[in-house]
Amino acid sequence: MDGTPAPTVTPTDAFRTILNRLAVGETLNEADAEQAFGLIMDGGIPDMLIAAFLMALRVRGEQRAELLGAVRAVRSRMRRVAPVPAGTIDVCGTGGDGLGTLNISTAVAFVLAALGVPVAKHGNKALSSRSGATDVLGALGVALSDDPAVIATRLNESGLVFMAAPSHHPAMRFAAPARSALGMRTLFNLIGPLCNPADVTRQLVGVFDPAWLRPVVETLQLLGSECAWAVHGTCGVGQGVDELTLAGPTAIVALQDGVLYDFVLEPGDAGLPPAPISAIAGGGPAENAAALEELLAGARGAYRDTVLLNAAAALHVAGRGNILKEGEVQPASLRALVAEAARVLDDGSALAVLKSARAGMPPVRDEFIQG
């Protein structure tokens, strides 16, 4: 040996090696993906390479192993919220469907909290839409804490917290410029909802592409989830939404009692009238916030009905009802949960949760009696 030191492999060199493999069509295994996303989130990788990496994955088609590795990388670096109440749930869409609808899952969070279901809602500003969860909460006057200890206290006292992704995933800031410049959905849209800082084991996840329904739920199962639904609504020919919808059938993959079920839910199953996706078209944060507050004050229409449908599904995921028997939807049970959700919109309980959230005080929660 001549004693010449081996050349130093920089993080950028290591990342380029992985990127070159993607360029020739290779698929990354879980460990490779965890390394690649870890390199991104440890900083120092040029934005251009990050954008190239994300687009290479998208053009070739992202795989479940790549999603799982990415999620493990993000979870290992997030600022966790603990302890949390038993049975805490998250309701979150991936975004990336490009439809710009009103904020559904944020509204559902207020309904669930009014029914006594602890909610740790994870969200972000808009990256590929006009108004993300934290955008609309800001317009509503709901202040978000960035202190995990404060958030845990609020969750245990009030049963509802909203967690801004940047506060809990500071390492994701290194990918933000590339994501924003691309302006389209990437694997990060899937990663975010699977990395709840409160480590919830019950989740209702809206997915932008039905091809990801099963991989998302399988990933959550491998990471210890107890009950999870991944949903994708059909709202036109070749068009879908990352929520349960009134515009057509919703495809669902559910994890329940360790078993995965594939099924379809129709608006009529819930006793709700169909409505085109245009009926819940949203705008900027101020416009969406006004619509959400009107909804909580009892306004009727397609927005309310869409929230009721999603809230009923979330109540099932939270263990507060059973609308699925051996993989088959039970319409009577589903309609009972829709009625429970409607009650707290009509009696002012959900609006009271919003007012308490604005004041930073615990809301007065309804005692939910499981039927």
Side-chain angles (χ1 to χ4, degrees):
M1 297 180 65
D2 59 10
T4 303
T8 301
V9 177
T10 68
T12 299
D13 290 337
F15 192 79
R16 285 183 187 277
T17 297
I18 295 173
L19 182 57
N20 287 336
R21 291 172 54 195
L22 291 179
V24 296
E26 286 190 32
T27 297
L28 305 182
N29 61 30
E30 181 186 336
D32 293 333
E34 184 171 359
Q35 179 191 11
F37 280 89
L39 288 168
I40 290 173
M41 290 180 292
D42 288 339
I45 305 301
D47 295 339
M48 181 176 65
L49 293 184
I50 296 173
F53 173 77
L54 295 174
M55 281 304 297
L57 287 174
R58 177 168 178 179
V59 170
R60 190 218 57 213
E62 304 95 336
Q63 303 298 310
R64 193 194 75 177
E66 293 165 342
L67 174 62
L68 181 57
V71 170
R72 289 193 187 280
V74 174
R75 286 194 177 198
S76 70
R77 291 164 174 81
M78 70 184 182
R79 299 175 68 217
R80 285 179 158 79
V81 171
V84 303
T88 298
I89 187 174
D90 186 15
V91 285
C92 185
T94 59
D97 59 28
L99 293 174
T101 58
L102 293 165
N103 297 80
I104 304 299
S105 60
T106 303
V108 169
F110 287 109
V111 173
L112 295 177
L115 286 165
V117 176
V119 182
K121 173 80 173 76
H122 188 213
N124 205 347
K125 288 183 174 293
L127 287 171
S128 57
S129 64
R130 294 180 63 188
S131 181
T134 57
D135 297 305
V136 78
L137 289 167
L140 284 167
V142 177
L144 306 185
S145 174
D146 61 1
D147 185 335
V150 171
I151 294 168
T153 298
R154 287 183 182 176
L155 179 57
N156 282 280
E157 290 180 350
S158 71
L160 173 65
V161 291
F162 295 97
M163 303 175 296
S167 297
H168 300 273
H169 303 289
M172 276 194 172
R173 72 187 185 276
F174 297 114
R179 293 182 67 195
S180 183
L182 287 172
M184 62 183 70
R185 70 92 179 152
T186 68
L187 195 61
F188 273 103
N189 287 90
L190 287 167
I191 295 168
L194 306 186
C195 296
N196 184 287
D199 287 317
V200 299
T201 60
R202 293 178 179 269
Q203 288 187 252
L204 174 63
V205 182
V207 178
F208 59 76
D209 184 337
W212 280 104
L213 291 173
R214 181 165 281 266
V216 161
V217 175
E218 289 174 339
T219 298
L220 287 172
Q221 183 180 30
L222 288 169
L223 293 169
S225 285
E226 179 180 358
C227 185
W229 279 24
V231 305
H232 176 84
T234 301
C235 53
V237 177
Q239 190 175 49
V241 62
D242 63 338
E243 315 279 359
L244 289 97
T245 184
L246 302 175
T250 297
I252 301 171
V253 174
L255 167 64
Q256 186 164 317
D257 299 323
V259 179
L260 269 63
Y261 298 99
D262 294 78
F263 61 100
V264 173
L265 191 150
E266 301 278 357
D269 295 335
L272 296 168
I277 199 69
S278 59
I280 58 168
E287 182 180 344
N288 283 19
L292 199 157
E293 187 159 8
E294 290 170 4
L295 164 77
L296 298 182
R300 298 186 176 258
Y303 186 22
R304 169 191 168 100
D305 290 346
T306 303
V307 169
L308 293 178
L309 180 61
N310 282 268
L315 286 168
H316 170 90
V317 174
R320 301 300 181 93
N322 191 1
I323 62 179
L324 196 63
K325 184 177 181 180
E326 297 180 353
E328 297 290 333
V329 175
Q330 306 299 302
S333 297
L334 175 58
R335 294 179 186 196
L337 293 181
V338 167
E340 282 295 317
R343 178 171 59 80
V344 296
L345 289 176
D346 294 335
D347 68 11
S349 299
L351 183 60
V353 173
L354 169 59
K355 291 177 178 178
S356 296
R358 278 181 175 147
M361 298 170 61
V364 178
R365 293 187 291 159
D366 177 62
E367 290 298 325
F368 188 100
I369 300 175
Q370 185 171 343

